[in-house]
């Protein structure tokens, strides 16, 4: 129970820090919108430790192994998936969001190192069983892969490609993007309205674009997408949700 409380407390602190950083990078309006659209994932994240606690020891180890394997396959398969995005038109580069993810990944590495050292002592003791060794290796692999995931996402670059936008080891076809626009209070914040893949998917994506190439990004997007006042549209939808 103490571990679950600690997890939820850490989640609340991370949420507060994330909102403060997003407010600084993207502006207050975009940060508030991101918070509203992230609500389903935040609720799922809060419920996850409770669900995992019911899985039992070996059920939890299996979930760790499945998740770590899925993340590895997803990362390693990116070159194959990237080909479907077509030829590169413009490399926007790292955004403020990806740089933040990179630093989160470095922080995660520090946490994993602190978790690894005592666990290694447990795995080399005189009363260690095969089950303990297997579960320990799976746990360590899970947390190291999560740290590697954040670092990989943090080093990824936003690319405008022939068939869509490539970002964070995935790509969004032009057909799934309904419109684009620029934020009012933070002019270099790009807003994309996407067709959600599921009820948990976000309809609006916000990205910080370097000011020096903003005009190039705008010109390329105009060739594929309609430009709309998405900032006002999002505020209108958010006000409806608030009611």
């Amino acid at each position: 129970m103490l571990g679950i409380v600690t997890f939820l407390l850490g989640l609340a602190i991370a949420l507060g820090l994330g909102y403060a950083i997003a407010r600084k990078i993207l502006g207050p309006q975009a940060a508030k919108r991101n918070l509203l659209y992230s609500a389903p994932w935040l609720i799922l994240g809060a419920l996850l430790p409770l669900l995992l606690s019911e899985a039992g020891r070996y059920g939890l180890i299996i979930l760790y192994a499945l998740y770590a394997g899925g993340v590895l396959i997803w990362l390693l398969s990116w070159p194959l998936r990237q080909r479907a995005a077509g030829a590169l038109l413009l490399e926007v580069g790292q955004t403020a969001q990806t740089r933040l993810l990179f630093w989160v990944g470095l922080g995660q590495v520090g946490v994993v190192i602190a978790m690894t050292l005592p666990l290694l002592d447990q795995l080399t003791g005189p009363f260690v069983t095969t089950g303990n060794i297997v579960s320990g290796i799976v746990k360590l692999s899970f947390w190291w892969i999560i740290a590697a995931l954040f670092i990989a996402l943090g080093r990824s670059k936003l690319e405008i490609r022939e068939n869509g936008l490539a970002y964070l080891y995935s790509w969004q076809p032009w057909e799934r993007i309904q419109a684009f626009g620029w934020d009012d209070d933070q002019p270099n914040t790009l807003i994309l309205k996407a067709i959600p893949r599921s009820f948990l998917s976000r309809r609006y994506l916000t990205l910080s674009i370097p000011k020096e190439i903003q005009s190039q990004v705008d010109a390329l997007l105009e060739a594929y997408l309609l430009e709309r006042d998405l900032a006002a549209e999002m505020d209108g939808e958010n006000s409806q949700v608030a009611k």
Side-chain angles (χ1 to χ4, degrees):
M1 181 59 71
L2 180 60
I4 293 176
V5 173
T6 303
F7 176 85
L8 294 177
L9 180 61
L11 183 66
I13 294 172
L15 174 61
L17 289 174
Y19 175 76
I21 293 170
R23 185 181 175 90
K24 177 74 173 177
I25 295 172
L26 301 174
Q29 289 182 348
K32 197 176 297 181
R33 298 182 199 118
N34 283 348
L35 185 61
L36 284 171
Y37 283 105
S38 299
W41 292 106
L42 296 175
I43 295 171
L44 181 62
L47 292 176
L48 185 61
L50 299 175
L51 297 174
L52 291 179
S53 65
E54 299 298 321
R57 178 186 175 187
Y58 293 105
L60 188 57
I61 294 302
I62 291 172
L63 288 174
Y64 276 146
L66 290 175
Y67 189 87
V71 169
L72 262 183
I73 292 171
W74 183 70
L75 288 174
L76 295 176
S77 66
W78 171 235
L80 296 175
R81 292 181 286 117
Q82 189 182 38
R83 292 178 190 172
L88 177 65
L89 302 179
L90 177 66
E91 185 180 282
V92 179
Q94 289 180 289
T95 65
Q97 292 95 324
T98 56
R99 286 192 289 271
L100 173 61
L101 287 172
F102 178 74
W103 286 106
V104 169
L106 290 182
Q108 182 74 15
V109 168
V111 172
V112 175
I113 290 174
M115 294 172 61
T116 300
L117 296 177
L119 192 54
L120 286 177
D121 290 336
Q122 296 177 22
L123 296 179
T124 56
F127 303 106
V128 173
T129 64
T130 303
N132 287 338
I133 293 176
V134 172
S135 63
I137 291 173
V138 171
K139 285 181 183 178
L140 287 179
S141 300
F142 171 80
W143 289 112
W144 277 108
I145 287 173
I146 294 300
L149 171 65
F150 275 105
I151 290 176
L153 293 176
R155 298 299 297 169
S156 65
K157 297 177 180 179
L158 172 61
E159 298 174 341
I160 300 178
R161 290 185 167 266
E162 187 179 15
N163 299 328
L165 294 176
Y167 185 59
L168 297 179
Y169 283 83
S170 61
W171 72 281
Q172 194 75 265
W174 296 122
E175 294 79 12
R176 297 195 64 83
I177 305 176
Q178 295 177 309
F180 81 99
W182 300 94
D183 204 355
D184 300 326
D185 62 342
Q186 201 87 350
N188 68 313
T189 295
L190 174 66
I191 305 173
L192 299 171
K193 183 177 182 179
I195 300 174
R197 298 178 185 273
S198 70
F199 73 98
L200 285 177
S201 300
R202 294 172 57 180
R203 291 186 61 196
Y204 297 95
L205 308 174
T206 52
L207 301 167
S208 63
I209 303 299
K211 293 180 180 179
E212 58 271 16
I213 62 169
Q214 184 178 353
S215 58
Q216 290 178 263
V217 172
D218 186 75
L220 276 173
L221 293 180
E222 281 185 344
Y224 293 95
L225 304 171
L226 293 174
E227 184 171 5
R228 297 212 308 251
D229 187 1
L230 294 181
E233 188 176 312
M234 290 174 69
D235 288 336
E237 290 189 13
N238 290 340
S239 63
Q240 291 290 331
V241 172
K243 291 178 181 179

